Amino acid sequence: MEQLTMETSREQHLQWAKQRALQVLEYYGSPSQALISLSNDLMKHSELRTHAAIELGTQLFIVGKLGTVAAMRKFIEDCS
C-alpha cells in the first residue's frame, strides 16, 4: 500500500522556517542558534534543501557579518 504524504508549499515552509528562526533569535539572543534553526528547517523541505540562505548565511556568519541579533534578524526577514 502506498503511503501518501502531504508536504506544505515552498512558501508556507519558508515562512514557517523564518518564523521559528526569529523565535529562536529572540528567545536565546543567539545569532548562531537562529542560523542553525533556519538551515535545519529549510533542509526539511524538498524544494528548499538547497536554498541559498543555508550556504550564504553560513559564510556570512563565519566572516562576522551576522554576529549580532539585528544583523541576523534582517538576514532572516530578507530570505525569500
Side-chain angles (χ1 to χ4, degrees), residues 3-61:
Q3 183 178 359
L4 298 176
T5 57
M6 299 267 309
E7 192 170 79
T8 59
S9 74
R10 179 191 186 283
E11 185 58 33
Q12 288 172 321
H13 192 89
L14 177 61
Q15 292 307 315
W16 172 77
K18 289 170 56 173
Q19 179 182 20
R20 281 181 28 102
L22 290 170
Q23 289 172 343
V24 167
L25 184 63
E26 293 306 314
Y27 185 80
Y28 294 105
S30 172
S32 63
Q33 290 299 315
L35 181 59
I36 290 167
S37 173
L38 180 65
S39 298
N40 284 339
D41 286 344
L42 291 177
M43 289 189 276
K44 292 176 183 175
H45 192 282
S46 61
E47 294 179 52
L48 296 169
R49 286 188 184 121
T50 58
H51 193 282
I54 298 169
E55 187 174 342
L56 180 60
T58 301
Q59 291 172 351
L60 289 171
F61 186 80

